[in-house]
Amino acid sequence: MPTSTIARTECRRYLRGKGPWIVVLCFIVFSRVTTQPEPAAAQIIDNAISLIHAQPAVAFIVPFAAAIINFRAITQERESGTARILLGTKTTRPRLVLGMVLGRGTALLVPVLASTVLIIGYDTLQYGQFSPLLSLGFLALSTAYVFAWTGLIVGLSAASSSTTRAVILGTIATIGLTLWNGITLPFVWQIATGIAPGSELAHPRAFAKAGWLSPASAFQVLTNWLFNVPIGTDVAVTQVADAITQSGELAPTPPPLSPWWALGFLLTWPALALVSGVMLFQQGDLAPGSQSEPFRRLLNAVPSMPRFSRPRSAWLPERGYVIDSLPGSWQPLARREFHRVARSPLVWVAGGLVFITAFLSLSQPTQVQEALGSRVPLAALQTPLAFIGGTSVLFGTFRSVIHDRDTGAIRFTAGTATSRMETLVGFTLGRAAAFTVPITLAVTLTCLVAIPQYGVVSLAKLAVFLSYTVLFVAIIAGIGVSLSTILQSQSVAGFAVLIFTAVHFTWFQLSNTLYELISGTSVSGFSPPNNPLYVVIRWLAPFQLSNVVTNAIIGVPNSAAPAAAVISELQPNQVSNQVVVRLQYGSDVPVWYLHPSIAFTELLLWALVPLAVAVPVYRHRSID
């Protein structure tokens, strides 16, 4: 089968679905909520004014749309057996990957270009200016951007031996590269140099060059260059506004590199991903999950860890009298899920990452050390537990019911005395227990290695923190299992996990937008309004609620920010977008609904509400 036939088939498949319409809707909505230019900025942007709303929409929507469409591009063919059929013809594995890139890239390009044209047309009528040459150039850059992200995600899918791994790699790449300048680069820079980026930045020119590395940043640089506005990694409106703010007139900072470098960065990412993906795809078997598993072999090589090759009775208990004495018949299913997931490298990697990140966060400023003392390890664990631990649990649970339904294993469960509700309880508790073991080990080990520097953590606080850790893992597992029950497609469930994770990383900006929509007042985290409703909105996301609860356990003022950030915020002459309730309202609990116990209740609702929806859906839906 020639490459063109594969590409044509893939393109038609996706253009016939709902995906293109969803992409168009997301483009139009996002273009309307982006920043409007001030009159002075609009005059400087000039002929490119009709493109200023299309630019951020393309830059932000395309990566997530590409991930949704493509993260199962190759793994789906392997898991369904279609890859064997295709490769039984004259099609080679590189041609299969290339056909996927061309077909799915074209399927994404159609709604992107259609949406861009609609946005440009609307802004042309609004501002009364239009440049055909700039519009054609922007459409050409948008086309390159679409295929760059498509090649990147398809390459990662080719390098993955299962859907779970493809979702993990795709999510990390999409969020990490899309939020490169806001989150990823500062974190990497702090790890590499030991100094967080700030006003006294070491090697500022190198940091500025590194800001161009991601595909999203490169696209912004190229389009700003096309618009003839100050060149940088922000959208044109922000670049012009910043250039005016710095000196009261348009005095842009010279770019650290030639804009042509941005084109190289944009094309390098898909090239590297496709080359690496094709090489791994060619070396592995077509059967899913049969590629080499370095993490599994590494764990088997460590004498202190239980070997995955041993019989499960050698290191996992088959029965537990306490568990079996509980009401219901969910215990066998929970035990099966525990055995299944505990053998996956994902749970041990998650625990290892929580420990490594917390260990690297033990070095805190003097004021934090003095304020927290032996509680510093608990503060260092807050962010790793919420973001790394929580996201890992989602990755380990979002396919639980869907995978059993697709493979037919759910029929065996349905044929037992286990009810539908007990089935979901078994999935949730079994998988939560598997993640609880390495994550609680990471918490304990962090506190142990911090003893020489900070002393022994209060056993009472440690016990409460560990209890909360177990509950938090169970809550996130409940969310993942509920998503897997309500949604019937692995692709849709993977998209839901991707969006759920992205929302948490951008929640500060989204909460400001949400408050503006509710109250009609534009706000910033640097100057929060004197309205407790704003804090409630800032707390809505479960990972933010986790910080509120753990702050109460650690014993720091009420806030959704990590404890170390709260202590820093209490120091004089400190300004950030973190909101500490005491500083803003004069009390830790100015109204009853800002009490940490209410945050704990809201966190429980994040598991109970989806489960309440999932149970009736699962009862009335066919198991096929």
Side-chain angles (χ1 to χ4, degrees), residues 177-233:
L177 295 177
T178 304
L179 306 177
W180 177 256
N181 288 284
I183 296 176
T184 310
L185 180 57
F187 177 76
V188 172
W189 190 268
Q190 183 174 1
I191 296 297
T193 64
I195 302 174
S199 57
E200 298 180 359
L201 177 66
H203 311 293
R205 190 165 183 82
F207 185 81
K209 292 177 181 178
W212 287 28
L213 290 177
S214 77
S217 300
F219 176 76
Q220 301 279 44
V221 169
L222 290 170
T223 49
N224 287 334
W225 185 32
L226 175 69
F227 298 164
N228 196 29
V229 299
I231 296 174
T233 57

Side-chain angles (χ1 to χ4, degrees), residues 365-506:
T366 304
Q367 65 267 19
V368 176
Q369 297 182 24
E370 294 176 350
L372 298 179
S374 62
R375 296 169 291 166
V376 168
L378 300 182
L381 282 160
Q382 283 183 288
T383 300
L385 172 63
F387 284 88
I388 298 177
T391 305
S392 299
V393 174
L394 279 176
F395 285 142
T397 54
F398 83 95
R399 293 181 65 209
S400 51
V401 179
I402 295 176
H403 181 266
D404 271 28
R405 186 190 297 122
D406 291 346
T407 59
I410 198 70
R411 287 184 171 273
F412 295 97
T413 304
T416 65
T418 307
S419 67
R420 296 286 179 99
M421 181 174 182
E422 289 173 336
T423 299
L424 299 186
V425 172
F427 275 116
T428 300
L429 296 184
R431 295 192 171 228
F435 278 95
T436 296
V437 174
I439 292 178
T440 53
L441 285 175
V443 172
T444 305
L445 188 58
T446 302
C447 295
L448 288 176
V449 299
I451 289 177
Q453 185 176 3
Y454 297 108
V456 179
V457 180
S458 168
L459 294 182
K461 286 190 177 296
L462 179 59
V464 174
F465 195 91
L466 285 172
S467 301
Y468 169 76
T469 300
V470 173
L471 181 61
F472 176 74
V473 171
I475 289 172
I476 302 301
I479 296 174
V481 171
S482 297
L483 287 175
S484 183
T485 306
I486 297 170
L487 305 175
Q488 294 182 285
S489 167
Q490 293 189 41
S491 298
V492 177
F495 163 67
V497 171
L498 175 66
I499 295 301
F500 188 87
T501 307
V503 163
H504 281 86
F505 280 101
T506 59

Side-chain angles (χ1 to χ4, degrees), residues 67-97:
I68 297 165
I69 293 176
N70 299 302
F71 74 85
R72 293 192 70 208
I74 305 299
T75 56
Q76 183 179 23
E77 303 300 321
R78 297 172 67 178
E79 292 174 345
S80 64
T82 311
R84 291 185 179 275
I85 300 174
L86 292 174
L87 295 175
T89 64
K90 294 182 180 180
T91 302
T92 62
R93 298 191 189 194
R95 287 185 178 180
L96 174 61
V97 175

Side-chain angles (χ1 to χ4, degrees), residues 87-164:
L87 295 175
T89 64
K90 294 182 180 180
T91 302
T92 62
R93 298 191 189 194
R95 287 185 178 180
L96 174 61
V97 175
L98 178 61
M100 290 290 179
V101 173
L102 295 177
R104 297 187 179 219
T106 304
L108 176 58
L109 182 64
V110 171
V112 168
L113 293 185
S115 306
T116 303
V117 170
L118 289 175
I119 295 170
I120 293 173
Y122 180 86
D123 285 342
T124 299
L125 295 176
Q126 181 179 2
Y127 296 107
Q129 290 181 282
F130 174 73
S131 172
L133 189 60
L134 288 179
S135 299
L136 289 175
F138 182 78
L139 293 177
L141 289 175
S142 300
T143 301
Y145 189 59
V146 167
F147 279 99
W149 274 104
T150 301
L152 173 60
I153 302 299
V154 172
L156 294 177
S157 180
S160 305
S161 58
S162 69
T163 294
T164 300

